[in-house]
Amino acid sequence: MLLRARLVITDGRPSRPPRRPPSRLTSAVLLLAACLALWASVPNVGQAVRAATAHGAPGTFTVLGLECVSHPGHESCLWSGRFDAADGSPGRTGVTLYGSGREGFEVDRSVAAVDIGHGDRVYPPSGSREWIGTALLLVTGYGLFLLFAKRHLMPPPARSGPRGERPSGPTALPGDARSPDHRPPARIPARAGAPTRR
């Protein structure tokens, strides 16, 4: 069985096939992933900035115990204790110190800390690197949203010539030796009495 391919020629060039519409499943996945990434990152931008710059109420963190969470092949530990603000406000217990780890602390030891309003967590005066994860989620969400908008809202690119230039004016057809600006040579009048060629 022979298959016949239909080729449409426009201005001497074969036309490109029409662009296929975007897949609904792929578009739905892109939109869902973008919404989840933005939902997880946008509300935490302010907290991430305060934690990175250690902007909050200064005070003292007193170590009372160690809290550890075990994962397959990994263990995460933070020291918990009491935070006393420098302004004399009532202290809070049951808070953890970000980045404390298992080593370097002991019970009843007091260190400087900053309360940024996180709730049950205080931070060292040097700040933290939690903003990196928030920034990655924010960039990923906006990137996926822009990709979704490009697939559905932006018009398809205009067709152009081989070098990106649109054809203008008439074009010579194949097999025609004359160009569009070709003019026939002017005829020279014959002299009187001269033989005429036939």
Side-chain angles (χ1 to χ4, degrees), residues 34-119:
C35 292
L36 289 177
L38 294 177
W39 173 77
S41 59
V42 171
N44 297 326
V45 171
Q47 176 182 313
V49 172
R50 291 194 302 270
T53 59
H55 180 73
T60 303
F61 175 79
T62 303
V63 179
L64 298 179
L66 183 65
E67 297 181 358
C68 295
V69 178
S70 298
H71 304 280
H74 177 68
E75 185 182 42
S76 177
C77 296
L78 287 175
W79 288 94
S80 63
R82 185 182 72 253
F83 176 78
D84 298 309
D87 58 1
S89 58
R92 297 175 15 239
T93 58
V95 297
T96 57
L97 179 62
Y98 172 84
S100 53
R102 179 185 287 273
E103 304 296 334
F105 290 88
E106 57 185 9
V107 178
D108 294 333
R109 179 185 175 183
S110 297
V111 296
V114 178
D115 182 13
I116 66 169
H118 187 276

